[in-house]
Coordinates of all heavy atoms in Angstrom, one line a residue:
G24 N 89.7 101.4 96.3 CA 90.2 101.4 95.0 C 90.0 100.1 94.3 O 88.9 99.5 94.3
L25 N 91.1 99.6 93.7 CA 91.0 98.3 93.0 C 90.7 97.1 93.8 O 89.9 96.3 93.5 CB 92.4 98.1 92.3 CG 92.5 96.9 91.4 CD1 91.5 97.0 90.2 CD2 93.9 96.8 90.8
V26 N 91.3 97.0 95.0 CA 91.0 95.9 95.9 C 89.6 95.9 96.4 O 88.9 94.9 96.4 CB 92.0 95.9 97.1 CG1 91.6 94.8 98.1 CG2 93.4 95.7 96.6
R27 N 89.1 97.1 96.7 CA 87.7 97.3 97.2 C 86.7 96.8 96.1 O 85.8 96.1 96.4 CB 87.5 98.7 97.6 CG 86.1 98.9 98.1 CD 85.9 100.3 98.6 NE 84.5 100.5 99.1 CZ 84.1 101.7 99.5 NH1 84.8 102.7 99.5 NH2 82.8 101.8 99.9
A28 N 87.0 97.2 94.9 CA 86.1 96.8 93.8 C 86.2 95.3 93.5 O 85.2 94.7 93.2 CB 86.5 97.6 92.5
A29 N 87.4 94.7 93.7 CA 87.5 93.3 93.5 C 86.8 92.4 94.5 O 86.2 91.4 94.2 CB 89.0 92.9 93.4
V30 N 86.8 92.9 95.8 CA 86.2 92.1 96.9 C 84.8 92.5 97.2 O 84.1 91.8 97.9 CB 87.1 92.1 98.1 CG1 88.5 91.6 97.9 CG2 87.1 93.5 98.7
A31 N 84.3 93.6 96.6 CA 82.9 94.1 97.0 C 81.8 93.0 96.8 O 81.0 92.9 97.7 CB 82.6 95.3 96.2
P32 N 81.8 92.2 95.7 CA 80.8 91.2 95.6 C 80.8 90.1 96.7 O 79.8 89.5 96.9 CB 81.0 90.7 94.2 CG 81.9 91.6 93.5 CD 82.7 92.3 94.5
F33 N 82.0 89.9 97.2 CA 82.2 88.8 98.2 C 82.3 89.3 99.6 O 82.6 88.5 100.5 CB 83.4 88.0 97.8 CG 83.5 87.7 96.4 CD1 84.4 88.4 95.5 CD2 82.7 86.7 95.9 CE1 84.4 88.0 94.2 CE2 82.8 86.3 94.5 CZ 83.7 87.0 93.7
F34 N 82.1 90.6 99.8 CA 82.4 91.2 101.1 C 81.4 90.8 102.2 O 80.2 90.9 102.0 CB 82.5 92.7 101.0 CG 82.9 93.3 102.3 CD1 84.2 93.2 102.8 CD2 82.0 94.0 103.1 CE1 84.6 93.8 103.9 CE2 82.4 94.6 104.3 CZ 83.7 94.5 104.7
V35 N 81.9 90.3 103.3 CA 81.2 90.0 104.5 C 81.9 90.7 105.6 O 83.1 90.5 105.8 CB 81.1 88.5 104.8 CG1 80.4 88.2 106.1 CG2 80.5 87.7 103.6
P36 N 81.3 91.6 106.3 CA 82.0 92.5 107.3 C 82.9 91.7 108.3 O 84.0 92.2 108.6 CB 80.9 93.2 108.1 CG 79.8 93.3 107.1 CD 79.8 92.0 106.3
S37 N 82.5 90.5 108.7 CA 83.3 89.8 109.6 C 84.6 89.2 109.0 O 85.5 88.8 109.7 CB 82.5 88.6 110.3 OG 82.1 87.7 109.3
W38 N 84.6 89.2 107.7 CA 85.8 88.8 107.0 C 86.8 89.9 106.7 O 87.9 89.6 106.1 CB 85.4 88.2 105.6 CG 84.6 86.9 105.7 CD1 84.2 86.3 106.8 CD2 84.2 86.1 104.6 NE1 83.5 85.2 106.5 CE2 83.5 85.0 105.1 CE3 84.4 86.2 103.2 CZ2 82.9 84.1 104.3 CZ3 83.8 85.3 102.4 CH2 83.1 84.2 102.9
A39 N 86.5 91.1 107.1 CA 87.4 92.2 106.8 C 88.9 92.0 107.2 O 89.8 92.2 106.4 CB 86.8 93.5 107.4
P40 N 89.1 91.6 108.4 CA 90.5 91.4 108.7 C 91.2 90.3 107.9 O 92.4 90.5 107.5 CB 90.5 90.9 110.2 CG 89.2 91.4 110.7 CD 88.3 91.4 109.5
L41 N 90.5 89.3 107.5 CA 91.1 88.2 106.6 C 91.4 88.8 105.2 O 92.4 88.5 104.7 CB 90.1 87.0 106.6 CG 90.6 85.9 105.6 CD1 91.9 85.3 106.2 CD2 89.5 84.9 105.5
I42 N 90.4 89.6 104.7 CA 90.6 90.2 103.4 C 91.8 91.1 103.4 O 92.7 91.0 102.5 CB 89.3 90.9 103.0 CG1 88.2 89.9 102.7 CG2 89.6 91.7 101.7 CD1 86.9 90.6 102.5
V43 N 92.0 91.9 104.4 CA 93.1 92.8 104.5 C 94.4 92.0 104.6 O 95.4 92.3 103.9 CB 92.9 93.8 105.7 CG1 94.2 94.6 105.9 CG2 91.7 94.7 105.5
A44 N 94.4 91.0 105.4 CA 95.7 90.2 105.6 C 96.1 89.5 104.3 O 97.2 89.5 103.9 CB 95.5 89.2 106.7
V45 N 95.1 88.8 103.7 CA 95.4 88.1 102.5 C 95.9 89.0 101.3 O 96.8 88.8 100.6 CB 94.2 87.2 102.0 CG1 94.4 86.7 100.6 CG2 94.0 86.1 103.0
T46 N 95.2 90.2 101.2 CA 95.6 91.1 100.2 C 97.0 91.7 100.4 O 97.8 91.8 99.5 CB 94.5 92.3 100.1 OG1 93.2 91.7 99.9 CG2 94.9 93.2 99.0
N47 N 97.2 92.0 101.7 CA 98.6 92.6 102.0 C 99.6 91.5 101.7 O 100.7 91.8 101.2 CB 98.6 93.0 103.5 CG 99.8 93.8 103.9 OD1 100.5 94.2 103.0 ND2 100.1 93.9 105.1
G48 N 99.4 90.3 102.1 CA 100.4 89.2 101.9 C 100.6 89.0 100.4 O 101.7 88.8 100.0
A49 N 99.5 89.0 99.6 CA 99.6 88.7 98.2 C 100.4 89.9 97.5 O 101.3 89.6 96.7 CB 98.3 88.6 97.6
L50 N 100.1 91.1 97.8 CA 100.8 92.2 97.2 C 102.3 92.3 97.6 O 103.1 92.5 96.8 CB 100.1 93.5 97.6 CG 98.7 93.7 96.9 CD1 98.1 95.0 97.4 CD2 98.9 93.8 95.4
L51 N 102.6 92.0 98.9 CA 104.0 92.0 99.3 C 104.7 90.9 98.6 O 105.9 91.1 98.2 CB 104.0 91.8 100.8 CG 105.4 91.9 101.5 CD1 106.1 93.2 101.1 CD2 105.4 91.7 103.0
T52 N 104.1 89.7 98.5 CA 104.7 88.6 97.7 C 105.1 89.0 96.3 O 106.2 88.8 95.8 CB 103.9 87.4 97.8 OG1 103.6 87.0 99.1 CG2 104.5 86.2 97.0
L53 N 104.1 89.7 95.6 CA 104.3 90.1 94.2 C 105.5 91.1 94.2 O 106.3 91.1 93.2 CB 103.0 90.7 93.7 CG 101.9 89.7 93.4 CD1 100.7 90.4 92.9 CD2 102.4 88.7 92.3
F54 N 105.5 92.1 95.1 CA 106.6 93.1 95.1 C 107.9 92.4 95.3 O 108.9 92.8 94.7 CB 106.3 94.1 96.2 CG 105.3 95.1 95.8 CD1 104.4 95.6 96.8 CD2 105.1 95.6 94.5 CE1 103.4 96.5 96.5 CE2 104.1 96.5 94.2 CZ 103.2 97.0 95.2
I55 N 108.0 91.5 96.2 CA 109.3 90.8 96.5 C 109.7 90.0 95.3 O 110.9 90.1 94.9 CB 109.2 89.9 97.7 CG1 109.0 90.7 99.0 CG2 110.4 89.0 97.8 CD1 108.6 89.9 100.2
I56 N 108.8 89.3 94.6 CA 109.2 88.6 93.4 C 109.7 89.5 92.3 O 110.7 89.3 91.6 CB 108.0 87.7 92.9 CG1 107.8 86.6 93.9 CG2 108.2 87.2 91.5 CD1 106.5 85.8 93.7
A57 N 109.0 90.6 92.1 CA 109.3 91.6 91.1 C 110.7 92.3 91.4 O 111.4 92.6 90.4 CB 108.2 92.6 91.0
L58 N 111.0 92.5 92.6 CA 112.2 93.2 93.0 C 113.4 92.3 93.4 O 114.4 92.8 93.7 CB 111.9 94.2 94.1 CG 110.9 95.3 93.7 CD1 110.6 96.1 95.0 CD2 111.5 96.2 92.6
A59 N 113.2 91.0 93.3 CA 114.2 90.1 93.8 C 115.5 90.1 93.0 O 116.6 90.2 93.5 CB 113.7 88.6 93.8
A60 N 115.3 90.2 91.7 CA 116.5 90.2 90.8 C 117.4 91.5 91.0 O 118.6 91.4 91.2 CB 116.2 90.0 89.4
P61 N 116.7 92.7 90.9 CA 117.6 93.9 91.0 C 118.0 94.2 92.4 O 119.1 94.8 92.5 CB 116.7 95.0 90.4 CG 115.3 94.5 90.5 CD 115.4 93.0 90.5
S62 N 117.2 93.9 93.4 CA 117.6 94.4 94.7 C 117.7 93.3 95.8 O 118.0 93.6 97.0 CB 116.5 95.4 95.2 OG 115.3 94.7 95.6
G63 N 117.5 92.1 95.4 CA 117.5 91.0 96.4 C 116.2 90.8 97.2 O 116.1 90.0 98.1
G64 N 115.2 91.6 96.8 CA 113.9 91.5 97.4 C 113.8 92.1 98.8 O 112.8 91.9 99.5
H65 N 114.7 93.0 99.2 CA 114.7 93.6 100.5 C 113.7 94.8 100.4 O 114.1 96.0 100.2 CB 116.1 94.1 100.9 CG 117.0 93.0 101.1 ND1 117.2 92.4 102.4 CD2 117.8 92.3 100.3 CE1 118.0 91.4 102.3 NE2 118.5 91.4 101.0
V66 N 112.4 94.5 100.5 CA 111.4 95.5 100.4 C 111.2 96.3 101.6 O 110.9 97.5 101.6 CB 110.0 94.9 99.9 CG1 108.9 95.9 99.8 CG2 110.2 94.2 98.6
N67 N 111.3 95.7 102.8 CA 111.2 96.4 104.1 C 112.0 95.7 105.1 O 112.6 94.6 104.9 CB 109.7 96.4 104.5 CG 109.1 95.0 104.7 OD1 109.8 94.1 105.1 ND2 107.8 94.9 104.4
P68 N 112.2 96.3 106.3 CA 113.1 95.7 107.3 C 112.7 94.3 107.7 O 113.5 93.5 108.1 CB 113.0 96.7 108.5 CG 112.7 98.0 107.8 CD 111.8 97.6 106.7
T69 N 111.4 93.9 107.6 CA 111.0 92.6 108.0 C 111.6 91.5 107.1 O 112.1 90.5 107.6 CB 109.5 92.5 108.0 OG1 108.9 93.5 108.7 CG2 109.0 91.1 108.4
I70 N 111.7 91.8 105.8 CA 112.3 90.9 104.9 C 113.8 90.8 105.2 O 114.4 89.7 105.2 CB 112.0 91.3 103.4 CG1 110.5 91.5 103.2 CG2 112.7 90.4 102.5 CD1 109.7 90.2 103.4
T71 N 114.4 92.0 105.4 CA 115.8 92.0 105.7 C 116.2 91.2 107.0 O 117.1 90.4 107.0 CB 116.3 93.5 105.8 OG1 116.0 94.1 104.6 CG2 117.8 93.5 106.0
M72 N 115.3 91.4 108.0 CA 115.6 90.6 109.3 C 115.4 89.1 109.0 O 116.2 88.3 109.6 CB 114.7 91.1 110.4 CG 115.1 92.5 110.9 SD 114.1 93.0 112.3 CE 112.7 93.8 111.5
A73 N 114.5 88.7 108.2 CA 114.3 87.3 107.9 C 115.5 86.8 107.2 O 116.0 85.6 107.5 CB 113.0 87.1 107.1
T74 N 116.0 87.5 106.2 CA 117.2 87.0 105.5 C 118.4 87.0 106.4 O 119.3 86.2 106.2 CB 117.5 87.8 104.2 OG1 117.7 89.2 104.5 CG2 116.3 87.7 103.2
M75 N 118.5 87.9 107.3 CA 119.6 87.9 108.3 C 119.5 86.7 109.2 O 120.5 86.0 109.5 CB 119.6 89.2 109.1 CG 120.0 90.4 108.4 SD 119.7 92.0 109.3 CE 120.5 91.7 110.8
A76 N 118.3 86.4 109.6 CA 118.1 85.3 110.5 C 118.4 83.9 109.9 O 118.9 83.0 110.5 CB 116.7 85.3 111.1
T77 N 118.2 83.8 108.6 CA 118.4 82.6 107.9 C 119.8 82.5 107.3 O 120.2 81.5 106.6 CB 117.4 82.4 106.7 OG1 117.5 83.5 105.8 CG2 116.0 82.3 107.3
G78 N 120.6 83.6 107.5 CA 122.0 83.6 107.0 C 122.2 84.0 105.6 O 123.3 83.9 105.0
H79 N 121.1 84.4 104.9 CA 121.3 84.9 103.5 C 121.9 86.3 103.3 O 122.4 86.6 102.3 CB 119.9 84.8 102.8 CG 119.4 83.4 102.6 ND1 118.7 82.7 103.5 CD2 119.6 82.6 101.5 CE1 118.4 81.5 103.1 NE2 118.9 81.4 101.9
T80 N 121.8 87.1 104.4 CA 122.3 88.4 104.4 C 123.3 88.5 105.6 O 122.8 88.2 106.7 CB 121.2 89.5 104.5 OG1 120.3 89.3 103.4 CG2 121.8 90.9 104.5
P81 N 124.5 89.0 105.4 CA 125.4 89.2 106.5 C 124.9 90.2 107.5 O 124.1 91.2 107.0 CB 126.7 89.7 105.9 CG 126.6 89.3 104.4 CD 125.2 89.2 104.1
I82 N 125.2 90.1 108.7 CA 124.6 91.0 109.8 C 125.0 92.5 109.5 O 124.1 93.3 109.5 CB 125.2 90.6 111.2 CG1 124.7 89.2 111.5 CG2 124.7 91.6 112.2 CD1 123.3 88.9 111.6
Y83 N 126.2 92.7 109.1 CA 126.6 94.1 108.9 C 125.8 94.7 107.7 O 125.4 95.9 107.7 CB 128.1 94.3 108.7 CG 128.6 93.7 107.4 CD1 128.7 94.4 106.2 CD2 129.0 92.3 107.3 CE1 129.1 93.9 105.0 CE2 129.4 91.8 106.1 CZ 129.5 92.6 105.0 OH 129.9 92.0 103.8
R84 N 125.6 93.9 106.6 CA 124.9 94.4 105.5 C 123.4 94.6 105.8 O 122.8 95.5 105.4 CB 125.1 93.5 104.3 CG 124.4 94.0 103.1 CD 124.7 93.1 101.9 NE 126.0 93.4 101.4 CZ 126.6 93.0 100.3 NH1 125.9 92.1 99.6 NH2 127.8 93.3 100.0
G85 N 122.9 93.7 106.6 CA 121.5 93.7 107.0 C 121.2 95.0 107.8 O 120.2 95.7 107.5
F86 N 122.1 95.4 108.7 CA 121.8 96.6 109.5 C 122.0 97.8 108.6 O 121.2 98.8 108.8 CB 122.8 96.7 110.7 CG 122.4 95.8 111.8 CD1 123.2 94.8 112.3 CD2 121.1 95.9 112.4 CE1 122.8 94.0 113.4 CE2 120.7 95.1 113.5 CZ 121.6 94.2 113.9
L87 N 122.9 97.8 107.6 CA 123.0 98.9 106.7 C 121.7 99.0 105.8 O 121.2 100.1 105.6 CB 124.2 98.7 105.8 CG 124.5 99.7 104.7 CD1 124.8 101.1 105.4 CD2 125.6 99.3 103.8
Y88 N 121.2 97.9 105.4 CA 119.9 97.9 104.6 C 118.8 98.5 105.5 O 118.0 99.3 105.0 CB 119.5 96.5 104.2 CG 120.2 95.9 103.0 CD1 120.0 94.6 102.6 CD2 121.2 96.6 102.3 CE1 120.7 94.0 101.6 CE2 121.8 96.1 101.2 CZ 121.6 94.8 100.9 OH 122.3 94.2 99.8
I89 N 118.7 98.0 106.7 CA 117.6 98.5 107.6 C 117.7 100.0 107.8 O 116.7 100.8 107.8 CB 117.6 97.7 108.9 CG1 117.1 96.3 108.7 CG2 116.7 98.4 109.9 CD1 117.3 95.4 109.8
A90 N 118.9 100.5 108.0 CA 119.2 101.9 108.2 C 118.7 102.7 107.0 O 118.1 103.8 107.1 CB 120.6 102.2 108.5
M91 N 119.1 102.2 105.8 CA 118.7 102.9 104.5 C 117.2 102.8 104.2 O 116.6 103.8 103.8 CB 119.5 102.3 103.4 CG 121.0 102.6 103.4 SD 121.4 104.4 103.5 CE 122.0 104.6 105.1
Q92 N 116.6 101.7 104.6 CA 115.2 101.6 104.4 C 114.4 102.5 105.3 O 113.4 103.2 104.9 CB 114.7 100.1 104.7 CG 115.2 99.1 103.6 CD 115.1 97.7 104.1 OE1 114.9 97.4 105.3 NE2 115.3 96.8 103.2
S93 N 114.9 102.7 106.5 CA 114.3 103.6 107.5 C 114.5 105.0 107.0 O 113.5 105.8 107.0 CB 114.8 103.4 108.9 OG 114.6 102.1 109.3
A94 N 115.7 105.4 106.6 CA 115.9 106.7 106.1 C 115.1 107.0 104.8 O 114.5 108.1 104.7 CB 117.4 106.9 105.7
G95 N 114.9 106.0 103.9 CA 114.1 106.2 102.7 C 112.6 106.4 103.1 O 112.0 107.3 102.5
S96 N 112.1 105.8 104.1 CA 110.7 106.0 104.5 C 110.5 107.4 105.1 O 109.5 108.0 104.8 CB 110.3 104.9 105.4 OG 110.9 105.0 106.7
M97 N 111.5 107.8 105.9 CA 111.4 109.2 106.4 C 111.5 110.2 105.3 O 110.7 111.2 105.3 CB 112.5 109.4 107.5 CG 112.2 108.6 108.7 SD 113.5 109.0 110.0 CE 114.6 107.6 109.8
I98 N 112.4 110.1 104.4 CA 112.5 111.0 103.3 C 111.3 111.0 102.4 O 110.8 112.1 102.0 CB 113.8 110.7 102.4 CG1 115.0 111.0 103.3 CG2 113.8 111.5 101.1 CD1 116.3 110.5 102.6
G99 N 110.7 109.8 102.2 CA 109.5 109.7 101.4 C 108.3 110.4 102.1 O 107.5 111.1 101.4
S100 N 108.2 110.3 103.4 CA 107.2 111.0 104.2 C 107.3 112.5 104.1 O 106.4 113.2 103.9 CB 107.2 110.6 105.6 OG 106.9 109.2 105.8
L101 N 108.6 113.0 104.2 CA 108.8 114.4 104.1 C 108.5 114.9 102.7 O 107.9 116.0 102.5 CB 110.3 114.7 104.4 CG 110.6 114.5 105.9 CD1 112.1 114.7 106.1 CD2 109.8 115.5 106.8
L102 N 108.9 114.1 101.6 CA 108.6 114.6 100.3 C 107.1 114.6 100.0 O 106.6 115.5 99.3 CB 109.3 113.6 99.3 CG 110.8 113.8 99.1 CD1 111.4 112.7 98.3 CD2 111.1 115.2 98.6
M103 N 106.4 113.6 100.6 CA 104.9 113.6 100.4 C 104.3 114.8 101.1 O 103.4 115.5 100.5 CB 104.3 112.3 101.1 CG 102.8 112.2 100.8 SD 102.1 110.7 101.5 CE 102.0 111.1 103.2
R104 N 104.8 115.2 102.2 CA 104.3 116.3 102.9 C 104.6 117.6 102.1 O 103.7 118.5 102.0 CB 104.9 116.4 104.3 CG 104.4 117.6 105.1 CD 105.0 117.7 106.5 NE 104.5 118.9 107.1 CZ 104.8 119.2 108.3 NH1 105.5 118.4 109.1 NH2 104.3 120.3 108.9
A105 N 105.8 117.7 101.6 CA 106.1 118.9 100.8 C 105.3 118.9 99.5 O 104.9 120.0 99.1 CB 107.6 118.9 100.5
T106 N 105.1 117.8 98.9 CA 104.4 117.8 97.6 C 102.9 118.1 97.7 O 102.4 118.8 96.9 CB 104.6 116.4 97.0 OG1 106.0 116.1 96.8 CG2 103.9 116.3 95.6
L107 N 102.3 117.5 98.8 CA 100.9 117.7 98.9 C 100.5 119.1 99.6 O 99.4 119.5 99.6 CB 100.3 116.6 99.7 CG 100.4 115.2 99.0 CD1 99.8 114.1 99.9 CD2 99.6 115.2 97.7
G108 N 101.5 119.7 100.2 CA 101.3 121.0 100.7 C 100.5 121.0 102.0 O 99.8 122.0 102.3
W109 N 100.5 120.0 102.7 CA 99.7 120.0 104.0 C 100.4 120.8 105.0 O 101.6 120.8 105.2 CB 99.6 118.5 104.5 CG 98.8 117.6 103.7 CD1 97.9 117.9 102.8 CD2 98.9 116.2 103.7 NE1 97.4 116.8 102.2 CE2 98.0 115.7 102.8 CE3 99.7 115.3 104.5 CZ2 97.8 114.4 102.6 CZ3 99.5 113.9 104.2 CH2 98.6 113.5 103.3
D110 N 99.5 121.6 105.7 CA 100.1 122.5 106.8 C 100.3 121.6 108.0 O 101.3 121.8 108.7 CB 99.1 123.6 107.1 CG 99.0 124.6 106.0 OD1 100.0 124.8 105.3 OD2 98.0 125.2 105.8
E111 N 99.4 120.8 108.3 CA 99.5 119.9 109.5 C 99.2 118.5 109.1 O 98.1 118.1 108.8 CB 98.6 120.4 110.6 CG 98.9 121.7 111.2 CD 98.0 122.1 112.3 OE1 97.5 121.2 113.0 OE2 97.7 123.3 112.4
V112 N 100.3 117.7 109.1 CA 100.1 116.3 108.8 C 100.1 115.5 110.1 O 100.9 115.6 111.0 CB 101.3 115.8 108.0 CG1 101.2 114.3 107.7 CG2 101.4 116.6 106.7
T113 N 99.1 114.6 110.2 CA 98.9 113.8 111.4 C 99.4 112.4 111.1 O 99.5 112.0 109.9 CB 97.5 113.8 111.9 OG1 96.7 113.2 111.0 CG2 97.0 115.2 112.2
A114 N 99.5 111.6 112.1 CA 99.9 110.2 111.9 C 98.8 109.4 111.1 O 99.2 108.6 110.3 CB 100.1 109.5 113.3
Q115 N 97.6 109.8 111.3 CA 96.5 109.2 110.5 C 96.6 109.5 109.0 O 96.2 108.7 108.2 CB 95.1 109.6 111.0 CG 94.8 109.0 112.4 CD 95.5 109.8 113.5 OE1 95.9 110.9 113.4 NE2 95.6 109.1 114.7
D116 N 97.1 110.7 108.7 CA 97.3 111.0 107.3 C 98.4 110.2 106.6 O 98.3 109.9 105.4 CB 97.7 112.5 107.1 CG 96.6 113.4 107.6 OD1 95.4 113.1 107.5 OD2 96.9 114.5 108.1
L117 N 99.4 109.8 107.4 CA 100.5 109.1 106.8 C 100.3 107.6 106.8 O 100.8 106.9 106.0 CB 101.8 109.4 107.6 CG 102.3 110.9 107.5 CD1 103.5 111.1 108.3 CD2 102.5 111.3 106.0
A118 N 99.5 107.1 107.8 CA 99.2 105.7 107.9 C 97.7 105.5 107.8 O 97.1 105.2 108.9 CB 99.8 105.1 109.1
A119 N 97.1 105.5 106.7 CA 95.7 105.4 106.6 C 95.2 104.0 106.3 O 94.5 103.7 105.4 CB 95.2 106.3 105.5
C120 N 95.8 103.1 107.1 CA 95.4 101.7 106.9 C 94.3 101.4 108.0 O 94.6 101.4 109.2 CB 96.6 100.8 107.1 SG 96.3 99.1 106.9
S121 N 93.1 101.1 107.5 CA 92.1 100.8 108.5 C 91.0 99.9 107.9 O 90.9 99.8 106.7 CB 91.4 102.1 108.9 OG 90.7 102.7 107.8
L122 N 90.3 99.2 108.7 CA 89.3 98.3 108.3 C 88.1 99.0 107.8 O 87.3 98.6 107.0 CB 88.9 97.3 109.4 CG 90.0 96.3 109.8 CD1 89.6 95.5 110.9 CD2 90.4 95.4 108.6
G123 N 87.9 100.2 108.4 CA 86.7 101.0 108.0 C 86.6 101.4 106.6 O 85.5 101.6 106.0
S124 N 87.8 101.5 105.9 CA 87.8 101.8 104.5 C 87.1 100.7 103.6 O 86.7 101.0 102.5 CB 89.2 102.1 104.0 OG 90.0 100.9 104.2
L125 N 87.0 99.5 104.1 CA 86.4 98.4 103.4 C 84.9 98.5 103.6 O 84.1 98.0 102.7 CB 86.9 97.1 103.8 CG 88.3 96.7 103.4 CD1 88.7 95.4 104.0 CD2 88.4 96.6 101.9
T126 N 84.4 99.1 104.6 CA 83.0 99.0 104.9 C 82.3 100.3 104.5 O 81.1 100.4 104.6 CB 82.7 98.8 106.4 OG1 83.4 99.8 107.2 CG2 83.3 97.4 106.8
D127 N 83.0 101.4 104.2 CA 82.4 102.6 103.8 C 81.7 102.5 102.4 O 82.2 101.8 101.6 CB 83.5 103.7 103.6 CG 84.1 104.1 105.0 OD1 83.5 103.8 106.0 OD2 85.2 104.6 105.0
A128 N 80.6 103.1 102.3 CA 79.8 103.0 101.1 C 80.3 103.9 100.0 O 81.0 104.9 100.2 CB 78.3 103.3 101.3

């Protein structure tokens, strides 16, 4: 999509892991900044664990956030399956993160 179009002129196959890592980090940073005011920036359990480790989030609240984030991801997966009408959803369908998608023509 958009990322592939942006990096296509600069793409070198050996750089694929670096491109994926930098893009993921940049997008996650933007999401955290955008959501910091309304939600505290707790986008995923990794962020919540980091704020728990640094003392910014109390332990009991952190575990509650992690439980709700996990429940939300499961509900989202079920809603996606119901919406798209797939008869058989595999793990690859739900987690289509791969380096091959950058190298496909």
Side-chain angles (χ1 to χ4, degrees):
L25 184 60
V26 173
R27 183 177 177 182
V30 301
F33 312 104
F34 185 72
V35 176
S37 63
W38 293 4
L41 178 64
I42 292 170
V43 171
V45 170
T46 304
N47 191 14
L50 290 175
L51 184 58
T52 301
L53 289 174
F54 286 141
I55 292 168
I56 291 169
L58 298 173
S62 73
H65 295 269
V66 178
N67 63 32
T69 305
I70 305 303
T71 303
M72 287 186 272
T74 61
M75 289 169 54
T77 58
H79 290 86
T80 300
I82 300 296
Y83 70 90
R84 183 174 285 187
F86 283 122
L87 181 63
Y88 284 174
I89 291 170
M91 294 299 109
Q92 291 162 348
S93 299
S96 68
M97 288 184 262
I98 291 169
S100 295
L101 292 173
L102 287 173
M103 184 178 79
R104 180 178 178 178
T106 302
L107 297 176
W109 293 339
D110 292 330
E111 294 183 30
V112 178
T113 65
Q115 290 78 21
D116 295 328
L117 297 176
C120 183
S121 67
L122 294 175
S124 62
L125 287 175
T126 57
D127 294 340

